[in-house]
Amino acid sequence: MATPEFQHTLGKTAGFSGTSLHTGEKVSLKVHPAPADHGVKFKRKDLQDEPTIDAKIDNLKMVERATTIGEGSVRVHTVEHVLAALSAMGVDNAVVEMDANEPPIGDGSARPYVDVIKRAGVTAQEAPRRFFDVREPMHVESKTGALLVLLPDDKFRISCTQAGPNNRFTQYLSMEITPTIFEREIAPARTFVYYEDVEPLMEKNLIKGGSLENAVVVRGEAVLSKEPLRFEDEFVRHKILDVVGDLALTGCRIRGHLIAVKPGHAANAELARALAREQVRRSALAVPRSIPRGDGGLDSEQIMQILPHRYPFLMVDRIISFEEGGTKCIGLKTVTINEPFFQGHFPGHPVMPGVMQVEAMAQVASLLLFKLAKTTSKIGYFMSADDVKFRKPVFPGDTMFIHAELTKHRGERLAKAKCHCVVNDAVVSEGELMFTFLDK
Ligand SMILES: [Zn+2]
C-alpha cells in the first residue's frame, strides 16, 4: 500500500430543498462537516431535541422499497441515495440534517446529493480511513433470487446484473467505484419501479410525492418517465447506486469485488450485516494473546479504586486498553471453576449465567465512562439493556474479552454503550446498555 488514506469530511455546510417521496411535503436537507471517526449521522431538525441517528447497519429498521434506519422511536426513511453519494464521493464523516423523516427525493437519482457535496467540498482529516479488506469469498442469497458474492480485490468494484419480472430488462454492468466514475456513470441513474408494484401504493396514497419526475415507471414493455432514459442501461446503474448506499451502512470502505445478481435492499442489508459481523470477529482476533500489566490499561487494583464492586461481584480482572480517544475499551475476565455461581448454575454442568456477562459488560462500560468523565465522585446506575443476545455458552477455563464502545454520551448524565463478549474468537454475548450518573 502506498500512502495511507485519510478520512474526509465536507469543507462547509451546503443544502437543498425538495419534496419528500412518501408524504409529498417540502423538506430541506443540509450536509455539515463532522469530526474524524464520527461517521455519518442523520439529524431530525423537526423533532424536539433534534435527535440523531447513526447510519449504521445496527440501526436498520426496514428494507421494503427503500432503506429505513432508526433509533428508539425516531426514523429516517429512504437514506440509500444520500448515503451512496457521501460514500462514493469520499465523505467518511458528516451530519445530514433534515426537517422531515426522509430526504428530498430530487429526480430519483443521487445527482442532487452529489451536487450538494461538491458545493460543500470534500476535505481530508487527520485520522486514517477504515477499510474492510475482503480476505475470502463471502456471499448472501435470498429467496427472491438475489445473489451477492464478495471476492478479494485491491479496489472496490461492482459487477451487477439486474433482471425484471420474467427477465425483462436484463442488464449487466461492471465497474470500479471511484468518485469520478460514480458521479458520471452511477449518480444520474434514477429510481425505477414496476407499475404493478406501485399501483397499490398509489391507491393507498402512500407515495404522495411520487411522480414521473422522480422515478421511471415500467409498465409491460413500456418505459414511462418525464425525461427519456439517461442511459440505455439506467436500471442496472441504479441497482449499483442502491448497493453502494446500503453497504455504506457498514461504516467502512470495502476493498473487494462485489458480484451482485438481482440485488435488492434486503439482500444488500444482509451482506452489510455479514460484513459488520466479520469486522467484530476480526477485532476479536486482533486482541493480543499475552497481555502485560500497566500497558495503557488498568490492573485489578486500579479497577477497584474506580468500581465499588468486590468479590464475588467484580466481573472484570483487567482493562487491556483504551482506544479511539477513549470511546472504546476491552476488558478481560478469566472465568474459573471457582466462580461462586458455578455451584448452582448448574451442578455437574457449569455454565456462566448470561446475566453475569451483562454485568461484566456494565462494569467495563462504567470504567470507560469514568475514564472519559475523569471523575469517580459519581456512581453510574444501569438503566436498561437492549438487544441483549446470548450466542454461545461460557465455560470454566474460558477467557472472556469484554468489548465496550460508547455510542451516546449526553453531558454527564446519560450514556449508552454497545458491548460484546468474545471467547475463542467468537461473540458469546452482546447488548446495548444505558446508564445514568448520580452523585455518590
Ligand atoms: Zn434507489
Side-chain angles (χ1 to χ4, degrees), residues 65 80-81 108 190-191 238 241-242 265:
R65 294 186 304 280
E80 62 273 21
H81 300 164
R190 292 162 297 169
T191 305
H238 191 83
L241 198 172
D242 282 340
H265 294 303

Side-chain angles (χ1 to χ4, degrees), residues 122-316:
V122 179
T123 71
Q125 295 171 291
E126 283 188 357
R129 247 182 193 160
R130 264 178 249 177
F131 281 94
F132 180 89
D133 285 294
V134 181
R135 294 179 192 159
E136 51 199 25
M138 303 173 67
H139 87 282
V140 302
E141 203 169 344
S142 77
K143 287 188 196 100
T144 54
L147 171 66
L148 305 180
V149 181
L150 202 46
L151 300 171
D153 203 290
D154 53 7
K155 299 190 176 84
F156 181 34
R157 296 167 59 200
I158 299 181
S159 297
C160 183
T161 305
Q162 117 81 23
N166 307 317
N167 289 339
R168 277 180 297 144
F169 300 99
T170 298
Q171 299 172 0
Y172 170 78
L173 188 66
S174 177
M175 56 179 50
E176 185 192 343
I177 305 295
T178 68
T180 317
I181 294 174
F182 181 83
E183 183 187 351
R184 193 181 61 217
E185 307 290 341
I186 302 298
R190 292 162 297 169
T191 305
F192 64 97
V193 289
Y194 297 100
Y195 183 77
E196 51 271 36
D197 294 339
V198 289
E199 196 187 8
L201 301 175
M202 291 192 296
E203 277 169 9
K204 286 186 210 146
N205 218 1
L206 287 174
I207 40 172
K208 291 198 184 92
S211 74
L212 291 178
E213 279 171 37
N214 50 41
V216 178
V217 178
V218 180
R219 191 172 188 177
E221 294 297 322
V223 173
L224 318 168
S225 72
K226 190 165 174 253
E227 187 190 318
L229 285 178
R230 292 176 176 176
F231 305 93
E232 217 174 288
D233 55 0
E234 187 166 352
F235 300 167
V236 71
R237 290 170 193 254
H238 191 83
K239 286 284 185 185
I240 293 176
L241 198 172
D242 282 340
V243 171
V244 172
D246 289 337
L247 291 182
L249 290 171
T250 58
C252 61
R253 295 184 175 273
I254 297 167
R255 276 194 284 240
H257 183 180
L258 176 69
I259 317 286
V261 179
K262 291 176 76 171
H265 294 303
N268 301 349
E270 206 185 315
L271 182 65
R273 272 203 198 92
L275 292 185
R277 274 197 304 271
E278 176 64 11
Q279 275 176 295
V280 168
R281 198 186 71 85
R282 287 185 189 175
S283 74
L285 288 172
V287 171
R289 281 295 180 272
S290 66
I291 299 123
R293 286 179 61 174
D295 196 20
L298 300 172
D299 62 24
S300 56
E301 285 301 314
Q302 292 167 313
I303 288 173
M304 285 193 282
Q305 280 164 22
I306 300 171
L307 291 182
H309 306 72
R310 292 295 178 269
Y311 174 84
F313 223 67
L314 186 57
M315 283 292 129
V316 49

